[in-house]
Amino acid sequence: MLAQYARVSGVVWLALGALLLGIWGVFCLRAHGRRAFCVLLAAILCGFAGYAGLRGRLPQNLEPGKYEVEGTVAAVPSVQAVKVRVVLTLSDVTLNGAPLEGRLRLYVYGTDALNRFAYGQRIRASGVNVKVPDGQNNPGGFDFRAYLWRGGVSMTGSSTPVKTAVLSEGQGIVSAIYRLRARLAARVDALFGDQADVMRALLLGDRALVTEETYDDFRTTGIAHLIALSGLHVGCIALMLDALLRLLCLPRRAVSAITLVLLTGYAVMAGMSASIVRAVLMYAFAAAAREAGYPGDLLTRLAAAFVVQLSFNSLLVRDTGFTLSYTAVFGLVCLTGAMRALFGARDGEGRIRKWVADAISASAAIQLASVPLVSSAFFSLPLLSIPVNLLAVPFGLLSVYLGAGAVAVSGLSLPLARILAAPARVCWAWIRLLAAKTAALPFSSVTARAWPLWAGIAFFALVGIASPYLTGSGKARRWALSLLALLAAAVLLWPTARNDGLTVTFLDVGYGDAAVIDARGTAYAVDCGRDNGVLADYLTASRADLRAVFVSHPDTDHSGGLASVLKRYRGAKVYVPECWERMEVGAAAEAALAGRRVVSLCAGDRVELAKDIVVEVLWPPEDFVPAEDNEGSLVLRLCYGEANALLTGDIPNTVDRLAAEEAEVLKVAHHGSRYATTAELLSIVRPRLAVISVDGNLFGHPTQEVLDRLAAVGAEVLRTDLHGAVTVTLEPDGRVAYETMRVPEG
């Protein structure tokens, strides 16, 4: 398990962190300020040292294959209704009776699975295809393997309800808490109707019902924290519990103890997210410091919580939710004072102005401190987050109290509970409307890129200098704040290195096609893969200047990601085959193209991409009527001097010989289907390099027949399922070179 790999490094740096805190406690009992800041820095260094010792390496003896799997459900099952599956995290796993190092993520497909499983159950599944999850398959892309390993998951598998049996039900207090959660979720659904999805997320940490569209609107406008349980929500609940317990005239110590116990239970029920655990730990340290008569300043509590959380799992230092949570509080503590000097009201100008100034200052401090992490994680920055937060957060906090009160009262009187729930529904209707309208504005967000390490270190050093903990002079803090803004602007606006030639990057988008042509620094996409954001994220992370998108045909594995790309690149032109209107274009593709500049192409057309780099259209001919959509696929020949690449979409064997021209690089049609890439086509093209965009042998692709045909003409074959993204560089003298994201195992 993860603890076995983290034990040595975790114990060592935890001991160092505890020693530092002990020194602070002995020699600085009533001091804070700069000393607290030093404790925080020391804790951060300990955390990174622990992570460096662990290095995040998976066990090396993991063997994929088909197994009989047995394990215990170790987290609340995640129901994904759209994909008709439930996701189970299993601990104490055995594969054919042998223990697995780490946990297993099991996907159980089928409607019968959606409400069948619960925390604590012992289950057995037969014939499970177990594999090591994919790592980072695209430049700047998501590392799924590292993400799972941060939670101790080393392998994944898929099953069906028929093959999966429940051996025993969960027992104990945690299982009881999760059963309570399920009952409360049903109560929330009954009370809040069309706002039940956000109220579940707000009160129970359950975002299963929140749609991608809603979450994207919230993230684009900078208010995603409202539906991700955080310290803000825990603080509201702690205040509510504290007030209720005080009504019972209990001693202060008893109130703190009971509140802490209830908050811990609530954290378990809400899924123990990094931000919620941080908030509970900080409350615990505050209560302990208050009872002991020691200072409990915010920064010291943050440092202590940091050390404790990372002691259980040092890989959390790479988790986006964890780092954003700590960064937000760090920025709040260090930068609010400096921001208050900019936005603050003069003495005697009224409480409302002071409240507004404080709210703006706190929001600006959090947003500024989070810039490097938000840029690196999401490749975009919300520009209107401060005003949107001012308009949304008060209503979101009000709905916490109203929602919790409605759920509590529903056990006594359902009509009274509905009366309390009605204002909360109105609040969220307003917040949704605000988020949707703001996200639709062309200036609501700006694309960003990942920060280099040196810039991140410099940025947070300036945050420390701008804080009152290291700098006593207001002038010095203002200078540090100015340098912070300048550094952020420089990193975001600094131009990327310009490619003065031609490269084509074939992305790993699963079962689908997506390629990016970089023609002397100008980007063109050819197909967009499915709606998984891979292409859009790659373009943003690489700071691509996207000029246009070529869509070969409307199938969702080629056009599904079009909407997410055009949402970020509103000025991009779209090229489609001339027979587009004679194909079965789905509603999603039609909506994505509504109001866009769409140009139809047919055989004989040429599109100039850059100096000496052109695209020749080989297929379809004008007025062609395809018997099925694949027959109408755009076939493009990318020409740069004597080097050529042939991009074939899903063109089938019925017509592919009519769209063939000699080329050094061939994008194999239809993912290597036997009904494409004929020997006749290959005899004309004679490729030196063949790239197949495919997903783990799905549908039996690529077929052995196609691989044999390619071998017969001497083509070197690269597959995105084995090699990850493939970047091909073409030289005008005909030379071709390539790089891949990974080397196939074996």
Side-chain angles (χ1 to χ4, degrees), residues 243-251 258:
L244 291 174
L245 292 171
R246 284 193 174 193
L247 291 176
L248 301 177
C249 299
L250 295 175
I258 295 171

Side-chain angles (χ1 to χ4, degrees), residues 12-24 46 307:
V12 170
W13 67 259
L14 175 60
L16 290 174
L19 179 61
L20 289 168
L21 289 176
I23 292 172
W24 176 86
C46 289
V307 170

Side-chain angles (χ1 to χ4, degrees), residues 328-345:
V329 181
F330 183 59
L332 185 69
V333 174
C334 293
L335 298 180
T336 299
M339 291 294 180
R340 185 67 174 81
L342 293 177
F343 303 116

Side-chain angles (χ1 to χ4, degrees), residues 105-187:
R105 172 175 280 202
L106 182 66
Y107 302 95
V108 185
Y109 289 84
T111 53
D112 294 341
L114 298 185
N115 298 304
R116 180 179 174 188
F117 301 100
Y119 174 88
Q121 289 176 335
R122 187 72 181 173
I123 68 170
R124 178 186 296 142
S126 58
V128 178
N129 187 23
V130 176
K131 65 176 185 177
V132 178
D134 290 336
Q136 186 179 9
N137 290 342
N138 295 295
F142 181 62
D143 191 334
F144 187 56
R145 182 185 302 175
Y147 165 75
L148 291 181
W149 183 235
R150 287 195 289 271
V153 174
S154 58
M155 303 191 82
T156 63
S158 300
S159 186
T160 63
V162 174
K163 295 181 179 180
T164 308
V166 177
L167 304 180
S168 62
E169 296 295 332
Q171 303 295 326
I173 189 170
V174 177
S175 294
I177 289 174
Y178 284 133
R179 287 193 290 270
L180 173 62
R181 184 191 197 220
R183 289 196 293 270
L184 292 177
R187 193 70 57 85

Side-chain angles (χ1 to χ4, degrees), residues 73-93:
V73 181
V76 178
S78 174
V79 176
Q80 299 177 345
V82 174
K83 297 181 179 180
V84 197
R85 71 182 185 184
V86 62
V87 184
L88 305 177
T89 300
L90 304 181
S91 62
D92 301 323
V93 178

Side-chain angles (χ1 to χ4, degrees), residues 302-392:
L302 187 71
F306 185 90
V307 170
V308 171
Q309 261 189 286
L310 286 184
S311 68
F312 290 96
N313 183 0
S314 59
L315 293 180
L316 280 175
V317 78
R318 293 290 300 273
D319 181 74
T320 301
F322 176 87
T323 51
L324 279 175
S325 177
Y326 277 90
T327 300
V329 181
F330 183 59
L332 185 69
V333 174
C334 293
L335 298 180
T336 299
M339 291 294 180
R340 185 67 174 81
L342 293 177
F343 303 116
R346 294 184 179 90
D347 293 339
E349 287 191 342
R351 289 186 178 181
I352 294 179
R353 180 178 173 85
K354 182 179 183 302
W355 179 87
V356 171
D358 287 344
I360 293 175
S361 301
S363 181
I366 292 171
Q367 299 300 324
L368 180 58
S370 303
V371 163
L373 294 177
V374 172
S375 299
S376 301
F378 306 116
F379 306 122
S380 67
L381 285 173
L383 295 181
L384 302 175
S385 61
I386 294 176
V388 173
N389 271 279
L390 285 176
L391 294 172

